[in-house]
Amino acid sequence: MNRPEIKICGLTLDADVDAVIENKVDYAGFVLFFKESKRYIDIDLATSLMKKLQKNQIKTVAVTVSPTINQVELINRAGFDYIQIHGSLTKEVIEKIHIPIILAINVKDTEVADLQKASKEYQTKIYAYLFDGVKSGSGQSFNWDLIDDFDIGNKKLFLSGGLNEDNVESAIRKVNPDVVDVSSGVEYEDKRKGKDKKKIDRFCKCVRKVNGD
């Protein structure tokens, strides 16, 4: 078992970025174009925040839901390191993606295997599979046993969905992911206030105290 990298997702404020930089996390995500999310921000703001992160060697992720060709082209031009995709993808959109894909899978049941088959036509563009709860961003976990039979091949495994300082150590020991991904678990109760630096500090400390065995 290896100690995983850390991704903090759904950054919206400059203070969020500062907390992520201080904790030297590995990935930072911004929710773009999906206004239904409380964590949605404009791509211009995300681009500004992203540059600050990249100067500190933190990889940046554009988080999208069923992106359009135009949205993908904006993300390509902005300079994000990765695009995280929830929802559906058309062949035309896939062809326009020029950065590695983190393909998000909302784990419900045995549909996981079917989703793997569906992604085979663009395997070379996939950097990682991200396993999340049924509703992304809800802070709800899922049955980690359901991903046991998913063959990730040479891709990275990101584990998301309801992680927090109380359960992340057991999640790491159970799933052995390459990356743990948190959003709700490090936020204030009032999500408009963004991330809680103290929660980020504690979450990162919990991850980093796990010894590889």
Side-chain angles (χ1 to χ4, degrees), residues 128-195:
Y129 289 102
L130 182 149
F131 295 96
D132 202 350
V134 174
K135 185 177 180 182
S136 300
S138 66
Q140 298 298 310
S141 189
F142 64 92
N143 181 358
W144 298 324
D145 290 332
L146 291 175
I147 62 177
D148 281 349
D149 296 327
F150 192 97
D151 179 14
I152 64 166
N154 63 348
K155 314 301 181 184
K156 285 185 178 286
L157 191 163
F158 282 54
L159 182 64
S160 187
L163 296 181
N164 55 54
E165 62 190 89
D166 296 322
N167 65 9
V168 69
E169 184 175 350
S170 58
I172 292 168
R173 295 192 180 282
K174 169 65 180 172
V175 179
N176 192 23
D178 296 295
V179 182
V180 287
D181 184 344
V182 65
S183 185
S184 297
V186 292
E187 287 177 335
Y188 290 102
E189 292 299 320
D190 180 354
K191 299 192 187 315
R192 292 171 298 181
K193 294 172 66 176
K195 305 304 183 197

Side-chain angles (χ1 to χ4, degrees), residues 41-118:
I41 61 171
D42 178 85
I43 190 167
D44 291 333
L45 173 58
T47 301
S48 173
L49 296 173
M50 172 196 75
K51 290 175 180 175
K52 189 174 180 181
L53 289 160
Q54 290 178 332
K55 285 178 183 176
N56 287 273
Q57 288 75 54
I58 294 173
K59 298 163 214 162
T60 56
V61 183
V63 180
T64 65
V65 178
S66 304
T68 65
I69 289 175
N70 180 59
Q71 289 169 352
V72 163
E73 289 177 338
L74 288 171
I75 288 167
N76 286 334
R77 288 201 295 270
F80 286 90
D81 297 303
Y82 303 92
I83 180 169
Q84 180 175 314
I85 298 175
H86 297 253
S88 59
L89 267 177
T90 65
K91 186 176 180 181
E92 292 73 23
V93 170
I94 293 165
E95 288 174 351
K96 296 294 182 181
I97 296 173
H98 301 317
I99 55 177
I101 297 170
I102 298 171
L103 186 64
I105 297 175
N106 294 94
V107 181
K108 300 175 185 176
D109 46 39
T110 53
E111 291 177 18
V112 170
D114 297 331
L115 284 164
Q116 185 173 17
K117 291 176 188 174

